[in-house]
Amino acid sequence: MTTSSETQKLVVVTGASTGMGAATARELAGRGFHVLAGVRRDKDADAVRAEHVEPVLLDITEPERIAALAARVGGDHRALHALVNNAGISVNAPVEALPLPEWRRQFEVNLFGHIAVTQALLPALLDSRGRVVNISSVGGKVALPAYGAYAGSKFALEAVSDSLRRELAPLGVKVVVIEPGGVRTEITGNAVAAVEELAGRMSAELNERYGKLLQAVVGQARSFDTGGLSADTAAKVIADAVTHRKPRTRYTVGRDGAVLTRLARLLPDRALDRLLAAGLRRHYPAPTGAAASASA
Ligand SMILES: NC(=O)c1ccc[n+]([C@@H]2O[C@H](COP(=O)([O-])OP(=O)(O)OC[C@H]3O[C@@H](n4cnc5c(N)ncnc54)[C@H](OP(=O)(O)O)[C@@H]3O)[C@@H](O)[C@H]2O)c1
């Protein structure tokens, strides 16, 4: 329910053009906040603009855009209640096959971008005794094959969030991590297109080593997506973390996320390896021709 005191407060949501960011912006506006919704293109700004959803042009890897956001927040009489670091990309390939610039791009968005926005908005959050909500992933706790770059960026975000929480607790700012499992958004389609493009550029040798794994990873990613929750459902969990008076340090989203993060805590590495390999096995392409007869 909207209260007049909440409409006095700002929330920043990055990556609000689609998926969980767009849904979270709508959900928080519905709960009475004025949402500054980060988007990268004018056409997305037009699409997300709504009552109490104000688009701001923001690529979190561009310092000038981040400075402009900080100025927009600093010039507003309303307190900044929360920053939701949601923007993200998923760059998937085996460690050996992913070119270094792609590793860097993954970390620039999923880690350094969030740190830069957090640094810029911390003065306002310290003033308001607000909170930072970082959107991690089940991939912040479990690293599937071909997810080294994505999981690496999310494991790092989890660690940075722990340090930040412990630094800011005495200063009255809360830090919360959200760990979604599968959610139906644009991220899977974009990731699959990037994997397929990369696979097309891989040398014959790398293809021999990893081609089938990549096909299995694509199949599995599609199954996470079709079996995933809606972005609106995920947004309710994120909005609860933004609004709860005493939020938990971490929230999982969806049963798959909850089960896998718990198993990762409980199982020894080798057992987890076997479990993850079994989950991937059914997504491998069926053997054809001579390979099929040899394995029959
Ligand atoms: N969907 C899942 O299953 C899932 C599971 C676990 C965690 N997550 C995490 O949830 C978060 C939201 O993802 P989503 O699933 O909602 O995917 P999505 O629909 O693809 O949304 C990602 C958002 O991030 C934005 N973005 C990408 N690069 C950016 C940059 N450099 N600067 C600013 N914004 C940028 C995108 O903007 P453009 O439209 O301009 O590209 C888009 O608004 C991500 O951090 C993701 O890792 C997703």
mmCIF file of all heavy atoms in Angstrom, residues 14-22 38-41 44 58-61 85-90 108-110 114 135-139 150 154 178-188 190 224-225 231, ligand 1:
data_model
loop_
_atom_site.group_PDB
_atom_site.id
_atom_site.type_symbol
_atom_site.label_atom_id
_atom_site.label_comp_id
_atom_site.label_asym_id
_atom_site.label_seq_id
_atom_site.Cartn_x
_atom_site.Cartn_y
_atom_site.Cartn_z
ATOM 1 N N THR A 14 19.238 -0.187 -11.098
ATOM 2 C CA THR A 14 20.022 -0.219 -12.348
ATOM 3 C C THR A 14 19.535 -1.383 -13.220
ATOM 4 O O THR A 14 18.979 -2.355 -12.716
ATOM 5 C CB THR A 14 21.534 -0.362 -12.064
ATOM 6 O OG1 THR A 14 21.799 -1.664 -11.518
ATOM 7 C CG2 THR A 14 22.024 0.716 -11.117
ATOM 8 N N GLY A 15 19.766 -1.261 -14.524
ATOM 9 C CA GLY A 15 19.359 -2.330 -15.448
ATOM 10 C C GLY A 15 17.855 -2.512 -15.455
ATOM 11 O O GLY A 15 17.355 -3.640 -15.343
ATOM 12 N N ALA A 16 17.122 -1.414 -15.607
ATOM 13 C CA ALA A 16 15.658 -1.472 -15.470
ATOM 14 C C ALA A 16 14.927 -1.508 -16.816
ATOM 15 O O ALA A 16 13.717 -1.304 -16.864
ATOM 16 C CB ALA A 16 15.174 -0.286 -14.637
ATOM 17 N N SER A 17 15.663 -1.774 -17.924
ATOM 18 C CA SER A 17 14.974 -1.785 -19.224
ATOM 19 C C SER A 17 14.103 -3.023 -19.380
ATOM 20 O O SER A 17 13.073 -2.970 -20.048
ATOM 21 C CB SER A 17 15.987 -1.722 -20.374
ATOM 22 O OG SER A 17 16.794 -2.874 -20.379
ATOM 23 N N THR A 18 14.536 -4.145 -18.802
ATOM 24 C CA THR A 18 13.821 -5.419 -18.992
ATOM 25 C C THR A 18 13.897 -6.234 -17.697
ATOM 26 O O THR A 18 14.529 -5.823 -16.722
ATOM 27 C CB THR A 18 14.485 -6.272 -20.122
ATOM 28 O OG1 THR A 18 15.876 -6.437 -19.796
ATOM 29 C CG2 THR A 18 14.363 -5.627 -21.478
ATOM 30 N N GLY A 19 13.295 -7.416 -17.725
ATOM 31 C CA GLY A 19 13.492 -8.439 -16.699
ATOM 32 C C GLY A 19 13.204 -7.980 -15.281
ATOM 33 O O GLY A 19 12.249 -7.237 -15.015
ATOM 34 N N MET A 20 14.049 -8.450 -14.373
ATOM 35 C CA MET A 20 13.810 -8.195 -12.946
ATOM 36 C C MET A 20 13.933 -6.719 -12.597
ATOM 37 O O MET A 20 13.258 -6.230 -11.690
ATOM 38 C CB MET A 20 14.813 -8.986 -12.111
ATOM 39 C CG MET A 20 14.409 -10.425 -11.955
ATOM 40 S SD MET A 20 15.543 -11.283 -10.854
ATOM 41 C CE MET A 20 16.553 -12.111 -12.029
ATOM 42 N N GLY A 21 14.815 -5.993 -13.301
ATOM 43 C CA GLY A 21 14.983 -4.568 -13.007
ATOM 44 C C GLY A 21 13.717 -3.795 -13.339
ATOM 45 O O GLY A 21 13.237 -2.978 -12.535
ATOM 46 N N ALA A 22 13.149 -4.053 -14.526
ATOM 47 C CA ALA A 22 11.911 -3.367 -14.925
ATOM 48 C C ALA A 22 10.789 -3.720 -13.959
ATOM 49 O O ALA A 22 10.029 -2.848 -13.509
ATOM 50 C CB ALA A 22 11.533 -3.756 -16.353
ATOM 51 N N GLY A 38 17.411 2.967 -14.113
ATOM 52 C CA GLY A 38 18.544 3.067 -15.037
ATOM 53 C C GLY A 38 18.308 2.291 -16.323
ATOM 54 O O GLY A 38 18.000 1.092 -16.296
ATOM 55 N N VAL A 39 18.427 2.983 -17.457
ATOM 56 C CA VAL A 39 18.318 2.338 -18.776
ATOM 57 C C VAL A 39 19.422 2.915 -19.663
ATOM 58 O O VAL A 39 19.957 3.986 -19.371
ATOM 59 C CB VAL A 39 16.933 2.581 -19.444
ATOM 60 C CG1 VAL A 39 15.811 1.966 -18.630
ATOM 61 C CG2 VAL A 39 16.694 4.071 -19.664
ATOM 62 N N ARG A 40 19.745 2.187 -20.733
ATOM 63 C CA ARG A 40 20.871 2.649 -21.567
ATOM 64 C C ARG A 40 20.452 3.362 -22.841
ATOM 65 O O ARG A 40 21.280 3.966 -23.497
ATOM 66 C CB ARG A 40 21.764 1.449 -21.915
ATOM 67 C CG ARG A 40 22.437 0.867 -20.687
ATOM 68 C CD ARG A 40 23.569 -0.038 -21.052
ATOM 69 N NE ARG A 40 23.115 -1.268 -21.705
ATOM 70 C CZ ARG A 40 23.935 -2.134 -22.261
ATOM 71 N NH1 ARG A 40 25.225 -1.894 -22.284
ATOM 72 N NH2 ARG A 40 23.461 -3.251 -22.800
ATOM 73 N N ARG A 41 19.185 3.232 -23.204
ATOM 74 C CA ARG A 41 18.756 3.803 -24.488
ATOM 75 C C ARG A 41 17.486 4.633 -24.312
ATOM 76 O O ARG A 41 16.639 4.315 -23.467
ATOM 77 C CB ARG A 41 18.470 2.668 -25.488
ATOM 78 C CG ARG A 41 19.712 1.960 -26.017
ATOM 79 C CD ARG A 41 19.341 0.739 -26.827
ATOM 80 N NE ARG A 41 18.764 -0.274 -25.969
ATOM 81 C CZ ARG A 41 19.458 -1.236 -25.368
ATOM 82 N NH1 ARG A 41 20.757 -1.340 -25.552
ATOM 83 N NH2 ARG A 41 18.855 -2.116 -24.582
ATOM 84 N N ASP A 44 14.239 2.748 -24.431
ATOM 85 C CA ASP A 44 13.900 2.042 -23.186
ATOM 86 C C ASP A 44 13.390 3.023 -22.140
ATOM 87 O O ASP A 44 12.515 2.694 -21.330
ATOM 88 C CB ASP A 44 15.110 1.271 -22.654
ATOM 89 C CG ASP A 44 15.510 0.137 -23.588
ATOM 90 O OD1 ASP A 44 14.603 -0.462 -24.194
ATOM 91 O OD2 ASP A 44 16.714 -0.133 -23.742
ATOM 92 N N LEU A 58 21.702 5.416 -17.942
ATOM 93 C CA LEU A 58 22.780 4.919 -17.084
ATOM 94 C C LEU A 58 23.364 3.627 -17.634
ATOM 95 O O LEU A 58 22.706 2.577 -17.630
ATOM 96 C CB LEU A 58 22.238 4.661 -15.665
ATOM 97 C CG LEU A 58 23.260 4.097 -14.676
ATOM 98 C CD1 LEU A 58 24.339 5.126 -14.363
ATOM 99 C CD2 LEU A 58 22.573 3.653 -13.380
ATOM 100 N N ASP A 59 24.591 3.746 -18.139
ATOM 101 C CA ASP A 59 25.400 2.546 -18.375
ATOM 102 C C ASP A 59 26.360 2.514 -17.202
ATOM 103 O O ASP A 59 27.112 3.474 -16.975
ATOM 104 C CB ASP A 59 26.158 2.670 -19.706
ATOM 105 C CG ASP A 59 26.925 1.392 -20.042
ATOM 106 O OD1 ASP A 59 27.584 0.851 -19.133
ATOM 107 O OD2 ASP A 59 26.862 0.947 -21.200
ATOM 108 N N ILE A 60 26.343 1.425 -16.423
ATOM 109 C CA ILE A 60 27.112 1.413 -15.167
ATOM 110 C C ILE A 60 28.618 1.254 -15.395
ATOM 111 O O ILE A 60 29.382 1.231 -14.431
ATOM 112 C CB ILE A 60 26.584 0.347 -14.165
ATOM 113 C CG1 ILE A 60 26.720 -1.069 -14.741
ATOM 114 C CG2 ILE A 60 25.149 0.652 -13.765
ATOM 115 C CD1 ILE A 60 26.503 -2.159 -13.692
ATOM 116 N N THR A 61 29.026 1.173 -16.662
ATOM 117 C CA THR A 61 30.475 1.162 -16.947
ATOM 118 C C THR A 61 30.948 2.547 -17.397
ATOM 119 O O THR A 61 32.113 2.711 -17.756
ATOM 120 C CB THR A 61 30.823 0.118 -18.034
ATOM 121 O OG1 THR A 61 30.226 0.529 -19.269
ATOM 122 C CG2 THR A 61 30.325 -1.259 -17.669
ATOM 123 N N ASN A 85 21.383 -2.729 -7.099
ATOM 124 C CA ASN A 85 22.381 -3.018 -8.139
ATOM 125 C C ASN A 85 21.947 -4.277 -8.872
ATOM 126 O O ASN A 85 22.248 -5.403 -8.458
ATOM 127 C CB ASN A 85 23.762 -3.226 -7.491
ATOM 128 C CG ASN A 85 24.400 -1.924 -7.071
ATOM 129 O OD1 ASN A 85 24.438 -0.966 -7.843
ATOM 130 N ND2 ASN A 85 24.916 -1.874 -5.857
ATOM 131 N N ASN A 86 21.220 -4.083 -9.956
ATOM 132 C CA ASN A 86 20.578 -5.204 -10.654
ATOM 133 C C ASN A 86 21.164 -5.485 -12.038
ATOM 134 O O ASN A 86 21.112 -6.610 -12.514
ATOM 135 C CB ASN A 86 19.077 -4.900 -10.788
ATOM 136 C CG ASN A 86 18.393 -5.816 -11.775
ATOM 137 O OD1 ASN A 86 18.118 -6.966 -11.483
ATOM 138 N ND2 ASN A 86 18.149 -5.316 -12.992
ATOM 139 N N ALA A 87 21.733 -4.471 -12.699
ATOM 140 C CA ALA A 87 22.189 -4.652 -14.087
ATOM 141 C C ALA A 87 23.113 -5.875 -14.169
ATOM 142 O O ALA A 87 23.885 -6.140 -13.253
ATOM 143 C CB ALA A 87 22.946 -3.408 -14.550
ATOM 144 N N GLY A 88 23.020 -6.594 -15.266
ATOM 145 C CA GLY A 88 23.896 -7.760 -15.383
ATOM 146 C C GLY A 88 23.878 -8.352 -16.767
ATOM 147 O O GLY A 88 22.922 -8.183 -17.533
ATOM 148 N N ILE A 89 24.973 -9.033 -17.087
ATOM 149 C CA ILE A 89 25.064 -9.808 -18.328
ATOM 150 C C ILE A 89 25.631 -11.182 -17.969
ATOM 151 O O ILE A 89 26.249 -11.342 -16.917
ATOM 152 C CB ILE A 89 25.970 -9.123 -19.390
ATOM 153 C CG1 ILE A 89 27.371 -8.842 -18.821
ATOM 154 C CG2 ILE A 89 25.313 -7.848 -19.911
ATOM 155 C CD1 ILE A 89 28.358 -8.316 -19.860
ATOM 156 N N SER A 90 25.407 -12.135 -18.864
ATOM 157 C CA SER A 90 25.920 -13.483 -18.628
ATOM 158 C C SER A 90 26.758 -13.891 -19.834
ATOM 159 O O SER A 90 26.242 -14.032 -20.937
ATOM 160 C CB SER A 90 24.736 -14.435 -18.427
ATOM 161 O OG SER A 90 25.192 -15.703 -18.060
ATOM 162 N N GLU A 108 33.424 -6.048 -15.691
ATOM 163 C CA GLU A 108 33.142 -4.599 -15.729
ATOM 164 C C GLU A 108 31.685 -4.333 -15.387
ATOM 165 O O GLU A 108 31.383 -3.402 -14.643
ATOM 166 C CB GLU A 108 33.444 -4.003 -17.120
ATOM 167 C CG GLU A 108 34.904 -3.753 -17.420
ATOM 168 C CD GLU A 108 35.580 -2.784 -16.452
ATOM 169 O OE1 GLU A 108 34.909 -1.902 -15.895
ATOM 170 O OE2 GLU A 108 36.795 -2.944 -16.250
ATOM 171 N N VAL A 109 30.788 -5.148 -15.948
ATOM 172 C CA VAL A 109 29.358 -4.918 -15.697
ATOM 173 C C VAL A 109 28.951 -5.505 -14.342
ATOM 174 O O VAL A 109 28.415 -4.801 -13.487
ATOM 175 C CB VAL A 109 28.485 -5.525 -16.826
ATOM 176 C CG1 VAL A 109 26.996 -5.299 -16.525
ATOM 177 C CG2 VAL A 109 28.851 -4.929 -18.182
ATOM 178 N N ASN A 110 29.220 -6.808 -14.135
ATOM 179 C CA ASN A 110 28.626 -7.496 -12.974
ATOM 180 C C ASN A 110 29.329 -7.193 -11.658
ATOM 181 O O ASN A 110 28.801 -7.510 -10.605
ATOM 182 C CB ASN A 110 28.650 -9.016 -13.197
ATOM 183 C CG ASN A 110 27.607 -9.469 -14.194
ATOM 184 O OD1 ASN A 110 27.110 -8.662 -14.960
ATOM 185 N ND2 ASN A 110 27.282 -10.737 -14.198
ATOM 186 N N HIS A 114 28.881 -2.158 -10.431
ATOM 187 C CA HIS A 114 28.108 -2.032 -9.181
ATOM 188 C C HIS A 114 28.932 -1.310 -8.116
ATOM 189 O O HIS A 114 28.388 -0.522 -7.334
ATOM 190 C CB HIS A 114 27.694 -3.408 -8.669
ATOM 191 C CG HIS A 114 26.798 -4.142 -9.622
ATOM 192 N ND1 HIS A 114 25.776 -3.525 -10.295
ATOM 193 C CD2 HIS A 114 26.776 -5.430 -10.026
ATOM 194 C CE1 HIS A 114 25.160 -4.408 -11.066
ATOM 195 N NE2 HIS A 114 25.762 -5.570 -10.925
ATOM 196 N N ILE A 135 22.015 -7.689 -6.574
ATOM 197 C CA ILE A 135 21.416 -8.875 -7.207
ATOM 198 C C ILE A 135 22.559 -9.786 -7.655
ATOM 199 O O ILE A 135 23.244 -9.529 -8.650
ATOM 200 C CB ILE A 135 20.520 -8.514 -8.412
ATOM 201 C CG1 ILE A 135 19.537 -7.391 -8.046
ATOM 202 C CG2 ILE A 135 19.774 -9.762 -8.889
ATOM 203 C CD1 ILE A 135 18.622 -7.646 -6.876
ATOM 204 N N SER A 136 22.745 -10.831 -6.874
ATOM 205 C CA SER A 136 23.753 -11.838 -7.210
ATOM 206 C C SER A 136 23.046 -12.925 -8.012
ATOM 207 O O SER A 136 22.281 -12.640 -8.937
ATOM 208 C CB SER A 136 24.388 -12.358 -5.911
ATOM 209 O OG SER A 136 25.269 -13.409 -6.166
ATOM 210 N N SER A 137 23.240 -14.183 -7.624
ATOM 211 C CA SER A 137 22.675 -15.299 -8.376
ATOM 212 C C SER A 137 22.967 -16.570 -7.598
ATOM 213 O O SER A 137 23.876 -16.588 -6.759
ATOM 214 C CB SER A 137 23.361 -15.379 -9.751
ATOM 215 O OG SER A 137 23.026 -16.574 -10.409
ATOM 216 N N VAL A 138 22.251 -17.640 -7.931
ATOM 217 C CA VAL A 138 22.692 -18.945 -7.436
ATOM 218 C C VAL A 138 24.119 -19.198 -7.946
ATOM 219 O O VAL A 138 24.921 -19.864 -7.305
ATOM 220 C CB VAL A 138 21.689 -20.052 -7.866
ATOM 221 C CG1 VAL A 138 21.666 -20.225 -9.353
ATOM 222 C CG2 VAL A 138 22.005 -21.362 -7.203
ATOM 223 N N GLY A 139 24.450 -18.550 -9.092
ATOM 224 C CA GLY A 139 25.818 -18.609 -9.634
ATOM 225 C C GLY A 139 26.835 -17.877 -8.762
ATOM 226 O O GLY A 139 28.034 -17.951 -9.009
ATOM 227 N N TYR A 150 30.853 -15.677 -15.426
ATOM 228 C CA TYR A 150 29.630 -15.195 -14.753
ATOM 229 C C TYR A 150 29.693 -15.500 -13.255
ATOM 230 O O TYR A 150 29.509 -14.610 -12.415
ATOM 231 C CB TYR A 150 28.403 -15.857 -15.383
ATOM 232 C CG TYR A 150 27.080 -15.422 -14.785
ATOM 233 C CD1 TYR A 150 26.523 -14.188 -15.111
ATOM 234 C CD2 TYR A 150 26.392 -16.235 -13.882
ATOM 235 C CE1 TYR A 150 25.310 -13.787 -14.568
ATOM 236 C CE2 TYR A 150 25.173 -15.832 -13.332
ATOM 237 C CZ TYR A 150 24.642 -14.614 -13.683
ATOM 238 O OH TYR A 150 23.441 -14.204 -13.132
ATOM 239 N N LYS A 154 29.928 -13.102 -9.893
ATOM 240 C CA LYS A 154 28.896 -13.137 -8.843
ATOM 241 C C LYS A 154 29.491 -13.598 -7.498
ATOM 242 O O LYS A 154 29.091 -13.084 -6.449
ATOM 243 C CB LYS A 154 27.737 -14.056 -9.258
ATOM 244 C CG LYS A 154 26.938 -13.549 -10.464
ATOM 245 C CD LYS A 154 26.154 -12.276 -10.159
ATOM 246 C CE LYS A 154 25.177 -11.926 -11.265
ATOM 247 N NZ LYS A 154 24.449 -10.673 -11.026
ATOM 248 N N ILE A 178 20.636 -10.710 -3.036
ATOM 249 C CA ILE A 178 19.537 -11.529 -3.573
ATOM 250 C C ILE A 178 20.157 -12.583 -4.483
ATOM 251 O O ILE A 178 20.985 -12.264 -5.348
ATOM 252 C CB ILE A 178 18.551 -10.670 -4.420
ATOM 253 C CG1 ILE A 178 18.114 -9.414 -3.663
ATOM 254 C CG2 ILE A 178 17.361 -11.503 -4.878
ATOM 255 C CD1 ILE A 178 17.151 -9.614 -2.539
ATOM 256 N N GLU A 179 19.738 -13.845 -4.290
ATOM 257 C CA GLU A 179 20.304 -14.952 -5.075
ATOM 258 C C GLU A 179 19.193 -15.674 -5.846
ATOM 259 O O GLU A 179 18.638 -16.671 -5.365
ATOM 260 C CB GLU A 179 21.025 -15.928 -4.130
ATOM 261 C CG GLU A 179 22.248 -15.312 -3.477
ATOM 262 C CD GLU A 179 22.733 -16.074 -2.242
ATOM 263 O OE1 GLU A 179 21.960 -16.891 -1.689
ATOM 264 O OE2 GLU A 179 23.875 -15.835 -1.832
ATOM 265 N N PRO A 180 18.861 -15.158 -7.047
ATOM 266 C CA PRO A 180 17.813 -15.840 -7.820
ATOM 267 C C PRO A 180 18.343 -17.127 -8.462
ATOM 268 O O PRO A 180 19.508 -17.216 -8.852
ATOM 269 C CB PRO A 180 17.442 -14.830 -8.913
ATOM 270 C CG PRO A 180 18.089 -13.534 -8.516
ATOM 271 C CD PRO A 180 19.287 -13.906 -7.690
ATOM 272 N N GLY A 181 17.422 -18.102 -8.593
ATOM 273 C CA GLY A 181 17.651 -19.237 -9.496
ATOM 274 C C GLY A 181 17.121 -18.811 -10.856
ATOM 275 O O GLY A 181 17.250 -17.648 -11.249
ATOM 276 N N GLY A 182 16.484 -19.749 -11.579
ATOM 277 C CA GLY A 182 15.993 -19.403 -12.923
ATOM 278 C C GLY A 182 14.824 -18.423 -12.884
ATOM 279 O O GLY A 182 13.856 -18.634 -12.162
ATOM 280 N N VAL A 183 14.951 -17.344 -13.641
ATOM 281 C CA VAL A 183 13.864 -16.360 -13.798
ATOM 282 C C VAL A 183 13.759 -16.067 -15.292
ATOM 283 O O VAL A 183 14.783 -15.869 -15.958
ATOM 284 C CB VAL A 183 14.163 -15.057 -13.016
ATOM 285 C CG1 VAL A 183 13.017 -14.059 -13.182
ATOM 286 C CG2 VAL A 183 14.404 -15.341 -11.528
ATOM 287 N N ARG A 184 12.529 -16.049 -15.811
ATOM 288 C CA ARG A 184 12.339 -15.853 -17.257
ATOM 289 C C ARG A 184 12.537 -14.388 -17.622
ATOM 290 O O ARG A 184 11.682 -13.551 -17.337
ATOM 291 C CB ARG A 184 10.927 -16.308 -17.668
ATOM 292 C CG ARG A 184 10.681 -17.793 -17.475
ATOM 293 C CD ARG A 184 9.342 -18.211 -18.095
ATOM 294 N NE ARG A 184 8.225 -17.414 -17.648
ATOM 295 C CZ ARG A 184 7.530 -17.640 -16.525
ATOM 296 N NH1 ARG A 184 7.835 -18.643 -15.743
ATOM 297 N NH2 ARG A 184 6.514 -16.855 -16.204
ATOM 298 N N THR A 185 13.693 -14.083 -18.220
ATOM 299 C CA THR A 185 14.004 -12.699 -18.621
ATOM 300 C C THR A 185 14.784 -12.731 -19.933
ATOM 301 O O THR A 185 14.980 -13.793 -20.523
ATOM 302 C CB THR A 185 14.875 -11.990 -17.555
ATOM 303 O OG1 THR A 185 16.166 -12.613 -17.559
ATOM 304 C CG2 THR A 185 14.269 -12.051 -16.164
ATOM 305 N N GLU A 186 15.283 -11.574 -20.316
ATOM 306 C CA GLU A 186 16.053 -11.476 -21.570
ATOM 307 C C GLU A 186 17.446 -12.100 -21.443
ATOM 308 O O GLU A 186 18.114 -12.337 -22.439
ATOM 309 C CB GLU A 186 16.257 -10.009 -21.955
ATOM 310 C CG GLU A 186 14.997 -9.192 -22.088
ATOM 311 C CD GLU A 186 14.113 -9.696 -23.193
ATOM 312 O OE1 GLU A 186 14.630 -9.959 -24.286
ATOM 313 O OE2 GLU A 186 12.902 -9.855 -22.948
ATOM 314 N N ILE A 187 17.911 -12.319 -20.212
ATOM 315 C CA ILE A 187 19.335 -12.648 -20.027
ATOM 316 C C ILE A 187 19.696 -13.974 -20.711
ATOM 317 O O ILE A 187 20.778 -14.094 -21.284
ATOM 318 C CB ILE A 187 19.723 -12.636 -18.522
ATOM 319 C CG1 ILE A 187 21.230 -12.382 -18.362
ATOM 320 C CG2 ILE A 187 19.319 -13.900 -17.799
ATOM 321 C CD1 ILE A 187 21.651 -12.000 -16.937
ATOM 322 N N THR A 188 18.776 -14.956 -20.682
ATOM 323 C CA THR A 188 19.109 -16.264 -21.251
ATOM 324 C C THR A 188 19.245 -16.175 -22.764
ATOM 325 O O THR A 188 20.230 -16.655 -23.337
ATOM 326 C CB THR A 188 18.041 -17.312 -20.878
ATOM 327 O OG1 THR A 188 17.912 -17.305 -19.462
ATOM 328 C CG2 THR A 188 18.430 -18.702 -21.338
ATOM 329 N N ASN A 190 19.930 -13.599 -24.564
ATOM 330 C CA ASN A 190 21.154 -12.843 -24.898
ATOM 331 C C ASN A 190 22.395 -13.707 -24.689
ATOM 332 O O ASN A 190 23.325 -13.685 -25.496
ATOM 333 C CB ASN A 190 21.248 -11.583 -24.029
ATOM 334 C CG ASN A 190 20.194 -10.548 -24.401
ATOM 335 O OD1 ASN A 190 19.667 -10.566 -25.517
ATOM 336 N ND2 ASN A 190 19.863 -9.668 -23.479
ATOM 337 N N PHE A 224 16.450 -23.801 -17.688
ATOM 338 C CA PHE A 224 16.350 -22.918 -16.508
ATOM 339 C C PHE A 224 15.329 -21.820 -16.796
ATOM 340 O O PHE A 224 14.545 -21.425 -15.946
ATOM 341 C CB PHE A 224 17.687 -22.223 -16.201
ATOM 342 C CG PHE A 224 18.773 -23.117 -15.654
ATOM 343 C CD1 PHE A 224 20.119 -22.784 -15.849
ATOM 344 C CD2 PHE A 224 18.476 -24.267 -14.938
ATOM 345 C CE1 PHE A 224 21.138 -23.587 -15.352
ATOM 346 C CE2 PHE A 224 19.498 -25.075 -14.432
ATOM 347 C CZ PHE A 224 20.825 -24.729 -14.640
ATOM 348 N N ASP A 225 15.405 -21.306 -18.047
ATOM 349 C CA ASP A 225 14.556 -20.176 -18.418
ATOM 350 C C ASP A 225 13.087 -20.605 -18.459
ATOM 351 O O ASP A 225 12.237 -19.990 -17.809
ATOM 352 C CB ASP A 225 15.002 -19.628 -19.780
ATOM 353 C CG ASP A 225 14.315 -18.314 -20.100
ATOM 354 O OD1 ASP A 225 14.453 -17.380 -19.290
ATOM 355 O OD2 ASP A 225 13.638 -18.224 -21.138
ATOM 356 N N ALA A 231 9.503 -12.627 -13.767
ATOM 357 C CA ALA A 231 10.252 -11.488 -13.226
ATOM 358 C C ALA A 231 9.431 -10.766 -12.157
ATOM 359 O O ALA A 231 9.985 -10.251 -11.180
ATOM 360 C CB ALA A 231 10.619 -10.535 -14.358
HETATM 361 N N1 LIG B 1 17.207 -14.358 -15.094
HETATM 362 C C1 LIG B 1 17.823 -15.205 -14.312
HETATM 363 O O1 LIG B 1 17.579 -16.430 -14.378
HETATM 364 C C2 LIG B 1 18.820 -14.705 -13.291
HETATM 365 C C3 LIG B 1 19.250 -15.612 -12.312
HETATM 366 C C4 LIG B 1 20.142 -15.174 -11.353
HETATM 367 C C5 LIG B 1 20.571 -13.869 -11.352
HETATM 368 N N2 LIG B 1 20.152 -12.997 -12.319
HETATM 369 C C6 LIG B 1 20.648 -11.616 -12.255
HETATM 370 O O2 LIG B 1 19.556 -10.733 -12.245
HETATM 371 C C7 LIG B 1 19.957 -9.458 -12.743
HETATM 372 C C8 LIG B 1 18.921 -8.960 -13.757
HETATM 373 O O3 LIG B 1 18.952 -9.806 -14.885
HETATM 374 P P1 LIG B 1 17.633 -10.251 -15.690
HETATM 375 O O4 LIG B 1 17.542 -11.716 -15.559
HETATM 376 O O5 LIG B 1 16.492 -9.419 -15.329
HETATM 377 O O6 LIG B 1 18.151 -9.990 -17.187
HETATM 378 P P2 LIG B 1 17.805 -8.916 -18.322
HETATM 379 O O7 LIG B 1 16.356 -8.915 -18.617
HETATM 380 O O8 LIG B 1 18.759 -9.221 -19.423
HETATM 381 O O9 LIG B 1 18.184 -7.529 -17.639
HETATM 382 C C9 LIG B 1 19.505 -7.109 -17.496
HETATM 383 C C10 LIG B 1 19.519 -5.600 -17.392
HETATM 384 O O10 LIG B 1 20.873 -5.160 -17.202
HETATM 385 C C11 LIG B 1 21.097 -4.110 -18.120
HETATM 386 N N3 LIG B 1 22.509 -3.924 -18.436
HETATM 387 C C12 LIG B 1 23.363 -4.729 -19.103
HETATM 388 N N4 LIG B 1 24.571 -4.166 -19.207
HETATM 389 C C13 LIG B 1 24.489 -2.958 -18.589
HETATM 390 C C14 LIG B 1 25.386 -1.885 -18.383
HETATM 391 N N5 LIG B 1 26.650 -1.933 -18.818
HETATM 392 N N6 LIG B 1 24.949 -0.796 -17.709
HETATM 393 C C15 LIG B 1 23.673 -0.728 -17.265
HETATM 394 N N7 LIG B 1 22.763 -1.678 -17.463
HETATM 395 C C16 LIG B 1 23.176 -2.796 -18.114
HETATM 396 C C17 LIG B 1 20.265 -4.478 -19.331
HETATM 397 O O11 LIG B 1 20.128 -3.316 -20.144
HETATM 398 P P3 LIG B 1 20.069 -3.396 -21.770
HETATM 399 O O12 LIG B 1 18.649 -3.756 -22.099
HETATM 400 O O13 LIG B 1 20.433 -2.017 -22.173
HETATM 401 O O14 LIG B 1 21.057 -4.420 -22.206
HETATM 402 C C18 LIG B 1 18.994 -4.922 -18.651
HETATM 403 O O15 LIG B 1 18.241 -3.791 -18.268
HETATM 404 C C19 LIG B 1 21.361 -9.664 -13.325
HETATM 405 O O16 LIG B 1 22.316 -9.173 -12.405
HETATM 406 C C20 LIG B 1 21.464 -11.178 -13.444
HETATM 407 O O17 LIG B 1 22.800 -11.632 -13.363
HETATM 408 C C21 LIG B 1 19.282 -13.399 -13.300
#
